[in-house]
Amino acid sequence: MPVDDEGIVTAAVRERSRARAGRASLQAHLYDRELPEPRGPSQSLRRRQELIALAHEYDTLILEDDAYGELRFEGETRPPLYALIGAAA
């Protein structure tokens, strides 16, 4: 997935989900909120909420890999996607 200053580009996630919609296979996205790529930024709150909305829209699972969620050099620890579900609905 492409990445910009806010993290994963959710428009690209939408396009991939739209292309796979209706297929008989299980859809899931593996997501690492802090380290999308070694060069990538942390996912912004807005983008994280968009990912949750897309998962609901396309009935897709999000598997969040949060191995480094509490390892921060600055700022506060960010909540996992699960904690944001009510805010994104």
Side-chain angles (χ1 to χ4, degrees), residues 1-2 11-21 27 29 58:
M1 286 289 146
V13 175
R14 176 180 292 285
E15 288 303 313
R16 183 168 288 180
S17 297
R18 185 178 293 141
R20 297 208 40 92
Q27 292 188 50
H29 295 285
Y58 289 97

Side-chain angles (χ1 to χ4, degrees), residues 37-83:
E37 295 181 11
R39 63 176 172 73
S42 295
Q43 194 79 357
S44 71
L45 177 60
R46 180 180 71 86
R47 288 278 177 84
R48 292 166 54 203
Q49 290 171 331
E50 288 175 2
L51 281 175
I52 294 167
L54 286 169
H56 284 293
E57 182 178 345
Y58 289 97
D59 196 24
T60 303
L61 297 173
I62 299 175
L63 305 174
E64 184 174 21
D65 180 0
D66 189 25
Y68 303 106
E70 294 183 15
L71 177 63
R72 303 209 36 98
F73 296 103
E74 59 185 43
E76 295 183 24
T77 301
R78 298 174 187 211
L81 288 177
Y82 183 79

Side-chain angles (χ1 to χ4, degrees), residues 26-37:
L26 173 67
Q27 292 188 50
H29 295 285
L30 178 60
Y31 172 73
D32 185 332
R33 67 188 164 110
E34 295 301 329
L35 300 170
E37 295 181 11

